[in-house]
Amino acid sequence: MSPAGEVHVPEEFQRALRSLRGVQVRADVSLHEIPAPTRVAPFALALTGELAGHGAHATDAASGRFVVLYDPDGQEVWQGRFRAVTMVRAPLERDLVRDPLLSEVAWTWLREALVSAGAGSRAHGGTVTRVISESFGSLADTPEADEIEIRASWTPTTPDLAPHLHAWAHLMGSVAGRPALPEGVTPLRARRAGSGS
């Protein structure tokens, strides 16, 4: 029996956390643990991730969150005891943001990422949001800030969550226009207009 006030962490959730320790995702993605939500489930873990941009002054090419929720009693809407809740956001060129097929394509990226990573899952749900920002008046010279945001959740079929973390990182790369590359292969940088190389 646990001492008064001490929370007993179920072994199944501990196993899930161990499966995430030391996971190496894409080399260009940095991960950081953040405070997890406390009202949605009895146990949770939250990570943020940034996919680095190119160049010394480049902003992040994509960013997001990966949250694992666990309820020992399960939740009917989850169809299980675990739930992965994710978000990925990235700036995008305006012509791509306006493409009417973008949302459907973005959702396909998620499904393909899960399959490619071998992340068994069910009860998928989510939204794809396209944001077009236009500035006026004294802000007319502000650069365009168009972006895509994918919010998705699904239920892992086993406590091994490493494939789900890999799938999320893969999705981040897809949204940023950087497909996964074999280990040891360096991506080619886009050539700038007017560049001689």
Side-chain angles (χ1 to χ4, degrees), residues 48-174:
T48 61
E50 293 82 34
L51 190 152
H54 291 309
H57 305 290
T59 57
D60 291 335
S63 62
R65 283 192 307 271
F66 179 85
V67 178
V68 176
L69 305 175
Y70 178 74
D71 187 336
D73 297 326
Q75 295 195 18
E76 186 176 353
V77 69
W78 296 357
Q79 299 177 27
R81 292 183 294 277
F82 286 95
R83 191 72 175 167
V85 181
T86 65
M87 184 273 289
V88 169
R89 177 185 296 136
L92 217 57
E93 295 176 8
R94 177 148 299 184
D95 59 336
L96 292 176
V97 173
R98 291 184 183 276
D99 188 331
L101 296 178
L102 176 63
S103 296
E104 186 175 340
V105 169
W107 189 250
T108 300
W109 289 336
L110 169 66
R111 301 302 295 267
E112 289 178 349
L114 289 167
V115 171
S116 176
S121 58
R122 60 177 173 261
H124 308 86
T127 61
V128 178
T129 304
R130 296 177 287 169
V131 178
I132 298 176
S133 299
E134 297 181 343
S135 303
F136 301 93
S138 61
L139 299 178
D141 293 333
T142 303
E144 296 174 352
D146 305 333
E147 64 179 24
I148 182 174
E149 180 181 275
I150 303 172
R151 291 180 179 268
S153 62
W154 61 86
T155 298
T157 55
T158 75
D160 181 6
L161 302 181
H164 300 270
L165 186 60
H166 280 289
W168 171 72
H170 179 82
L171 175 64
M172 201 179 301
S174 296

